[in-house]
Amino acid sequence: MFADLHLHTHFSDGTFTPEELVARACDQGLSAIALTDHDTVEGCPRAAAACEKAGIEFIVGTELTADYKGCELHILGYFLDIENPLLIREMSKCQATRQDRIREMVLRLNQARVPLEAERVFAIANCQSPGRPHVARALVADGYCAGMDEAFERFLKRGRPAWVPKRRISAANAIELIHQAGGLAVMAHPGLNRSDDVIPPVVKAGLDGIECFHTKHSTHASERYLELADRYKLLVTGGSDCHGMSKGRPLIGSMKLPYQHVELMKIAVARRQSPSAPKVPAPEESPTLS
Ligand code: AMP
Ligand code: ZN
Ligand code: FE
Ligand code: FE
């Protein structure tokens, strides 16, 4: 039995609907999936319903964009209560920040003589959690760029005219938010971070797990993170980070996590949610987290 715990839909910057994603999961013979759209859980009820129909286990998830001392980190949240008021409020704030960033990027495009309108990007994105890929899609759709790569290369990459930095919540706050919504906090694709030095302080802030297996990790990288998981007593997770069609076939199914890791996650979340479970000690150095 296998799982894919890192998947996106059109509720953020993926292209599949939740139903399409679940159909692909079925084709790949997956037993469990988690939906981890950026800064939102909006797609989860539909994905859960489709999974129930298909006989696949569904895990509510999200991928929060966070910061540790200027480094962008992605923190995955699993087994969240999607009706948790603080989670809803904080995610709405992240979404508003994303929308402001789109307006800022469009303004800069306009200054670079590209007369794109923010409303056009929002119409193409058609979601609350828009990001750079949606601006790129708009630039391609309206004929300003031949393809996504050109849009990033000419305008959207760091240092290009329309690049705007993202305002992010601190890693400690992201972890705390996930915990108070009853979930587990997992560092996404550590191999894509600038350095592994961010791991120990984020572990101290209460991290529960680390995504050892990811499409962009080499075998060597996965082994290194398995060692770190062992050293810091972290749960091991993995996923494809499928965003829809990519180079002719979607990534879903390209990274299959053995189901026993999901079982360990369920034990950990039950412990966390049980009122009699011992509290995780407060991280002594959390105030130094940015
Ligand atoms: P954002 O989080 O809004 O800054 O956007 C980051 C997303 O842009 C990532 O998920 C990447 O998948 C995507 N991205 C970055 N560079 C490229 C590129 N050259 N072509 C297509 N997508 C890209
Ligand atoms: Zn994404
Ligand atoms: Fe990510
Ligand atoms: Fe992702």
Side-chain angles (χ1 to χ4, degrees):
M1 286 168 74
F2 294 98
D4 187 334
L5 302 184
H6 193 153
L7 297 163
H8 297 272
T9 67
H10 70 79
F11 281 90
S12 66
D13 57 2
T15 57
F16 289 148
T17 63
E19 293 78 15
E20 283 166 345
L21 190 72
V22 173
R24 302 274 180 172
C26 262
D27 292 345
Q28 292 295 328
L30 293 168
S31 302
I33 62 163
L35 181 58
T36 55
D37 271 316
H38 300 283
D39 296 332
T40 182
V41 288
E42 276 174 294
C44 287
R46 272 173 58 184
C51 278
E52 191 173 355
K53 249 192 188 164
I56 293 179
E57 184 174 341
F58 179 71
I59 297 164
V60 168
T62 188
E63 182 173 18
L64 300 179
T65 302
D67 181 278
Y68 178 72
K69 292 191 174 170
C71 243
E72 181 171 324
L73 298 180
H74 292 182
I75 306 288
L76 297 158
Y78 293 112
F79 300 100
L80 300 161
D81 167 14
I82 62 168
E83 284 171 14
N84 181 273
L86 192 60
L87 182 72
I88 294 170
R89 199 178 74 205
E90 290 305 309
M91 283 187 163
S92 306
K93 280 194 212 162
C94 291
Q95 292 160 14
T97 300
R98 282 174 168 275
Q99 291 163 23
D100 288 344
R101 181 177 178 233
I102 299 288
R103 289 187 194 94
E104 182 65 32
M105 283 193 275
V106 166
L107 207 65
R108 295 191 190 191
L109 281 169
N110 296 163
Q111 286 161 357
R113 295 172 199 278
V114 177
L116 188 70
E117 287 180 10
E119 289 316 310
R120 177 71 176 138
V121 180
F122 293 136
I124 283 177
N126 193 25
C127 73
Q128 300 301 313
S129 248
R132 273 186 300 168
H134 296 114
V135 181
R137 280 181 215 163
L139 286 169
V140 175
D142 289 359
Y144 300 112
C145 295
M148 298 284 283
D149 279 345
E150 187 190 321
F152 274 90
E153 283 303 319
R154 275 179 60 200
F155 298 112
L156 301 172
K157 256 176 49 167
R158 183 189 285 263
R160 295 291 188 258
W163 186 74
V164 176
K166 243 196 247 178
R167 267 177 291 150
R168 314 177 279 237
I169 61 171
S170 76
N173 286 348
I175 292 168
E176 199 182 311
L177 182 64
I178 289 165
H179 284 167
Q180 69 77 41
L184 296 174
V186 172
M187 183 181 285
H189 43 64
L192 304 188
N193 294 343
R194 235 180 284 160
S195 148
D196 287 348
D197 292 349
V198 297
I199 296 174
V202 177
V203 168
K204 262 197 172 159
L207 193 73
D208 301 288
I210 186 160
E211 191 178 50
C212 297
F213 302 106
H214 183 272
T215 332
K216 289 193 174 155
H217 283 178
S218 62
T219 310
H220 177 74
S222 294
E223 283 166 2
R224 186 165 78 248
Y225 295 118
L226 284 170
E227 270 174 39
L228 286 180
D230 195 46
R231 188 185 314 163
Y232 293 112
K233 303 282 165 270
L234 295 170
L235 294 160
V236 169
T237 76
S240 65
D241 210 354
C242 175
H243 280 76
M245 278 302 184
S246 116
K247 298 192 177 99
R249 78 184 180 95
L251 287 175
I252 184 170
S254 63
M255 213 312 304
K256 290 183 174 173
L257 180 77
Y259 185 78
Q260 73 229 38
H261 293 294
V262 177
E263 282 181 339
L264 293 173
M265 291 169 82
K266 288 203 271 192
I267 293 169
V269 84
R271 255 194 231 138
R272 175 166 282 289
Q273 289 173 354
S274 146
S276 61
K279 290 262 185 303
V280 176
E284 276 168 35
E285 291 176 26
S286 63
T288 66
L289 286 178
S290 60

